[in-house]
Amino acid sequence: GARRRGPRPRPLPPAERAAEPPRGSTMAEQTYSWAYSLVDSSQVSTFLISILLIVYGSFRSLNMDFENQDKEKDSNSSSGSFNGNSTNNSIQTIDSTQALFLPIGASVSLLVMFFFFDSVQVVFTICTAVLATIAFAFLLLPMCQYLTRPCSPQNKISFGCCGRFTAAELLSFSLSVMLVLIWVLTGHWLLMDALAMGLCVAMIAFVRLPSLKVSCLLLSGLLIYDVFWVFFSAYIFNSNVMVKVATQPADNPLDVLSRKLHLGPNVGRDVPRLSLPGKLVFPSSTGSHFSMLGIGDIVMPGLLLCFVLRYDNYKKQASGDSCGAPGPANISGRMQKVSYFHCTLIGYFVGLLTATVASRIHRAAQPALLYLVPFTLLPLLTMAYLKGDLRRMWSEPFHSKSSSSRFLEV
């Protein structure tokens, strides 16, 4: 997705331009204004929220691994056998072929939305609302588990063919449905951001990158995809396809339903058009502009950070089993203590800062992955090479020589 700022301030009328201070003072004021814009509320919110979503989603993913292993150990101890190939069916692991074709599929989807948005907008809005409901329920689940733990047992309630759910799951889903309904009725940007946050966390937690090779394939392909559709699509389609699709509002399903059923002019006609939760939008404190960051610019680097967090945990457990085996002799102890997760997270922050500066300099939409991918992958590859982990992380990072059936041990 593109990183974009909102409308520029209006030009000064002649009377105000005549009253401008001397040119040197004006340049100084412009410099201070430019520097201040980097730390205004919209930019700070973008930085904080995107980093928090990545960190939270990565640790939710790691916690899901722990829970799955505990269930696996319990089932194996009760059955007296061990099955190292058992996995959680809800987790999707991206392989090399999917990593190569994902940018192509994303391009096709972008073109469909660009050319046929009026035809598919209602269906797309409903599908997005359903996915956002499930994702936001997943985001709220830990809080609901904490709230319901003292007053209700963890027994699951049966709903027939729909399945069995705990009280915390029912509470989180009910709150999520309520929030989506309020968003449909009001179209408020804050509710849209909340749903986008749920989508980010859910995708980071449920989608896995198995190796550094797949990570490089996926992020490199998406970098090319992002650069092409932000920088070069205007030369072919006479419009910035990425920005137009990301910012185009959709008709409210309630309004469409009211017109189809001829319910009258006062029924369902006053609802606003909806800006879909495929991005995070933060207005400035003055309301003169806004910052926008596509959720792909959070999720895709977030998948890489989730991968390195799982590898840090795996390596920590493996070094504990081997009684603290030292790293390569030419690497200092301080370097060995720096985790891949912290290194990559700092790279993400620097990349996001660079994208923000570039958007201010060029005053146009910027492909954020152009800055995020190099600033996350290159430090990670360099540190893995210096630590001697590059070959293992590239192909089979979680393959244990001593026990091939073990993935992560808690």
Side-chain angles (χ1 to χ4, degrees), residues 89-402:
N89 293 329
S90 62
I91 294 175
Q92 175 65 42
T93 301
I94 298 177
D95 57 26
S96 300
T97 304
Q98 292 171 333
L100 287 173
F101 282 95
L102 194 147
I104 300 175
S107 298
V108 173
S109 301
L110 200 64
L111 284 176
V112 170
M113 294 297 295
F114 180 73
F115 287 111
F116 307 105
F117 184 79
D118 293 338
S119 303
V120 302
Q121 58 178 325
V122 176
V123 176
F124 189 75
T125 302
I126 294 174
C127 293
T128 302
V130 172
L131 292 176
T133 302
I134 299 172
F136 195 73
F138 175 76
L139 180 65
L140 293 177
L141 184 58
M143 182 191 69
C144 294
Q145 289 174 336
Y146 177 79
L147 294 175
T148 59
R149 187 177 294 120
C151 55
S152 68
Q154 295 300 313
N155 298 331
K156 292 189 175 183
I157 304 171
S158 177
F159 283 84
C161 60
C162 296
R164 298 169 60 86
F165 306 95
T166 63
E169 291 170 342
L170 294 174
L171 177 60
S172 65
F173 183 75
S174 300
L175 293 175
S176 182
V177 170
M178 188 182 306
L179 184 136
V180 171
L181 290 177
I182 297 174
W183 168 66
V184 171
L185 292 173
T186 64
H188 199 279
W189 66 268
L190 193 59
L191 301 178
M192 181 200 71
D193 279 0
L195 297 178
M197 293 175 197
L199 289 170
C200 288
V201 171
M203 284 189 280
I204 293 173
F206 284 100
V207 180
R208 303 289 169 83
L209 295 174
S211 65
L212 193 53
K213 178 181 74 173
V214 176
S215 303
C216 289
L217 287 174
L218 177 64
L219 291 176
S220 300
L222 289 173
L223 185 153
I224 298 172
Y225 156 86
D226 210 13
V227 169
F228 173 80
W229 289 111
V230 173
F231 282 157
F232 302 106
S233 61
Y235 297 103
I236 302 174
F237 303 100
N238 296 321
S239 177
N240 191 318
V241 176
M242 181 76 76
V243 173
K244 184 175 180 180
V245 171
T247 58
Q248 189 170 7
D251 288 341
N252 197 303
L254 296 180
D255 181 37
V256 175
L257 183 64
S258 174
R259 285 189 275 108
K260 292 291 184 180
L261 298 179
H262 305 288
L263 297 180
N266 297 324
V267 181
R269 297 295 181 89
D270 56 347
V271 290
R273 302 190 75 191
L274 297 176
S275 185
L276 300 181
K279 55 192 175 296
L280 294 178
V281 175
F282 297 101
S284 66
S285 56
T286 60
S288 60
H289 63 269
F290 63 90
S291 291
M292 183 181 74
L293 187 67
I295 63 173
D297 302 325
I298 301 174
V299 172
M300 296 307 162
L303 294 180
L304 178 66
L305 278 136
C306 179
F307 163 73
V308 296
L309 178 65
R310 291 164 52 232
Y311 183 78
D312 282 334
N313 177 77
Y314 173 81
K315 191 177 180 182
K316 180 180 179 181
Q317 299 298 331
S319 63
D321 294 342
S322 59
C323 301
N330 60 335
I331 301 300
S332 65
R334 182 174 298 179
M335 172 69 77
Q336 286 292 340
K337 291 180 181 179
V338 178
S339 68
Y340 291 111
F341 181 77
H342 292 137
C343 172
T344 312
L345 187 62
I346 293 172
Y348 180 83
F349 173 80
V350 175
L352 197 58
L353 179 63
T354 307
T356 302
V357 173
S359 68
R360 286 297 301 164
I361 293 175
H362 299 286
R363 293 184 175 272
Q366 294 292 308
L369 291 181
L370 175 62
Y371 309 95
L372 295 175
V373 171
F375 277 104
T376 52
L377 273 183
L378 293 181
L380 174 60
L381 291 170
T382 303
M383 178 172 282
Y385 175 77
L386 293 176
K387 286 188 173 185
D389 293 331
L390 182 57
R391 180 175 297 179
R392 175 179 231 182
M393 294 179 70
W394 186 259
S395 54
E396 294 182 340
F398 304 111
H399 178 73
S400 175
K401 295 181 180 179
S402 59

